Amino acid sequence: MARDKIALIGSGQIGGTLAHLIGLKELGDVVMFDIAEGVPQGKALDIAQSSPVDGFDAHYTGANSYEALDNAKVCIVTAGVPRKPGMSRDDLLSINLKVMEQVGAGIKKYAPDAFVICITNPLDAMVWALQKASGLPHKKVVGMAGVLDSSRFRYFLADEFNVSVEDVTAFVLGGHGDTMVPLVKYSTVAGIPLPDLVKMGWTSQARLDEIVDRTRNGGAEIVNLLKTGSAFYAPAASAIAMAESYLRDKKRVLASAAYLNGEYGVKDMYVGVPVVIGAKGVERVVEIELTGKDREAFDKSVGAVQGLVDACKKIAPDLL
Ligand code: APR
């Protein structure tokens, strides 16, 4: 069986890490694309030269032309500009919106059957714009945010409780930003919900609130430390989990920015919710009942995403 072709649109920090992980996991052949000349070619060659040492078989190419996307099974989009200290994800909006229009046109022309994962920020608005610009079915275009936000939450919780990250599950809803909604009662250690762990004396409510807060600001914490860019190892690993679930039809339940058409009371918007990802793309939106403070927080987050989408509509009315 021929290997699947995975196209990475954007070959910067996340793109390079994605390319390496795809090789290490033998998920397919890799095409790295970027507007910067030489960068995708150089990274592709460098990673290919590591394959004999690590013992993986994958073909790597670098390209500056969209033709290279031809027949890709998966496209992962990181093209655009990352955050600098003091910049919010929203500041990136107008720059990256233009990039999504170009990338969407390229995917439409050369890879219309692909499963597309958008990582470019501000995520929920960019994935919305990318779907519009590419015209691909909604279930084939998703945004990576929830897996990353959940992973950050899981890591902080595992560290707090001194248990394996494998035994911590987390549930994060809403937009990828300061308004995201980590759902404490659906987050567990080996099936024990966090509120029960507070009652059991494993941690205090105040500590838990701090961890939730740190999760919400997880991206900014790294931007402030790095000073020259934003996180890339964990974002890349998260997108790979989504790509793998699609390519291997694993049907994993992964929090993703997915198109909502009435679910959670939201229409024509991409917002972070749990979805089943399999060979058909987004095969199901998992709709849980939200009440009280969780509903309020979710609605606030949806409002923030709506604000960004409205800003996109103003800048690029042709996208509609
Ligand atoms: N077409 C293709 N590639 C582009 C374009 C474009 N129009 N504009 C910029 N790029 C490329 C840049 O040349 C660069 O190599 O996108 C790449 C982005 O890489 P980095 O600057 O290293 O950014 P990275 O850390 O990978 O993050 C990418 O993901 O998490 C988000 O906020 C982050 O929006 C950012 C994106």
Side-chain angles (χ1 to χ4, degrees):
M1 204 171 77
R3 289 195 288 257
D4 290 322
K5 176 168 166 180
I6 303 171
L8 306 178
I9 304 166
S11 301
Q13 297 281 52
I14 299 180
T17 313
L18 286 167
H20 196 198
L21 287 173
I22 290 165
L24 292 172
K25 288 179 170 267
E26 288 199 324
L27 289 180
D29 290 337
V30 178
V31 171
M32 301 186 73
F33 169 90
D34 204 286
I35 43 166
E37 284 178 24
V39 172
Q41 291 84 355
K43 289 195 180 185
L45 187 58
D46 188 12
I47 295 170
Q49 289 170 357
S50 77
S51 64
V53 182
D54 281 318
F56 62 82
D57 289 299
H59 188 65
Y60 281 82
T61 41
N64 302 111
S65 141
Y66 276 104
E67 281 164 38
L69 269 55
D70 194 33
N71 263 324
K73 185 121 194 241
V74 171
C75 293
I76 308 182
V77 179
T78 59
V81 177
R83 274 199 287 175
K84 303 260 159 38
M87 250 176 126
S88 75
R89 290 186 180 93
D90 307 357
D91 293 334
L92 299 176
L93 186 114
S94 54
I95 307 172
N96 287 349
L97 179 59
K98 287 196 183 67
V99 177
M100 290 307 103
E101 290 186 274
Q102 292 164 15
V103 172
I107 292 175
K108 183 182 198 157
K109 188 159 181 199
Y110 294 105
D113 296 322
F115 180 60
V116 179
I117 302 170
C118 180
I119 304 184
T120 303
N121 275 317
L123 193 268
D124 308 273
M126 292 303 103
V127 65
W128 176 88
L130 187 62
Q131 188 281 324
K132 294 271 182 215
S134 66
L136 264 60
H138 293 115
K139 65 177 185 184
K140 298 294 281 293
V141 183
V142 287
M144 187 297 295
V147 178
L148 171 63
D149 296 330
S150 311
S151 185
R152 285 179 173 148
F153 195 26
R154 287 172 64 193
Y155 169 70
F156 294 145
L157 290 168
D159 199 40
E160 170 74 5
F161 298 133
N162 198 20
V163 297
S164 166
V165 289
E166 288 187 57
D167 296 319
V168 181
T169 64
F171 202 120
V172 178
L173 284 174
H176 185 46
D178 314 337
T179 60
M180 76 176 78
V181 190
L183 283 189
V184 165
K185 71 176 171 197
Y186 289 127
S187 304
T188 75
V189 172
I192 309 165
L194 295 182
D196 290 9
L197 290 162
V198 173
K199 281 188 210 143
M200 287 156 62
W202 276 41
T203 188
S204 63
Q205 188 57 47
R207 242 338 259 147
L208 202 52
D209 292 345
E210 274 171 32
I211 292 172
V212 165
D213 216 43
R214 191 173 179 199
T215 303
R216 282 207 185 98
N217 297 306
E221 183 176 357
I222 290 181
V223 170
N224 289 333
L225 288 166
L226 294 180
K227 296 190 179 69
T228 52
S230 50
F232 53 99
Y233 293 112
S238 304
I240 291 295
M242 297 167 74
E244 190 174 10
S245 192
Y246 172 75
L247 289 167
R248 305 212 159 129
D249 195 21
K250 282 172 74 80
K251 304 193 193 294
R252 291 197 60 195
V253 181
L254 297 169
S256 312
Y259 184 79
L260 299 183
N261 190 22
E263 299 91 344
Y264 289 93
V266 177
K267 266 206 155 199
D268 191 30
M269 249 184 11
Y270 274 85
V271 182
V273 291
V275 297
V276 176
I277 296 181
K280 297 191 184 84
V282 172
E283 299 187 348
R284 181 178 201 166
V285 172
V286 182
E287 195 175 3
I288 57 153
E289 198 191 349
L290 286 176
T291 52
K293 279 203 175 124
D294 291 338
R295 180 80 236 180
E296 250 171 56
F298 182 76
D299 289 345
K300 188 174 163 213
S301 189
V302 170
V305 176
Q306 183 72 62
L308 293 174
V309 170
D310 289 345
C312 289
K313 287 179 180 170
K314 257 192 209 137
I315 301 169
D318 299 349
L319 262 185
L320 296 174

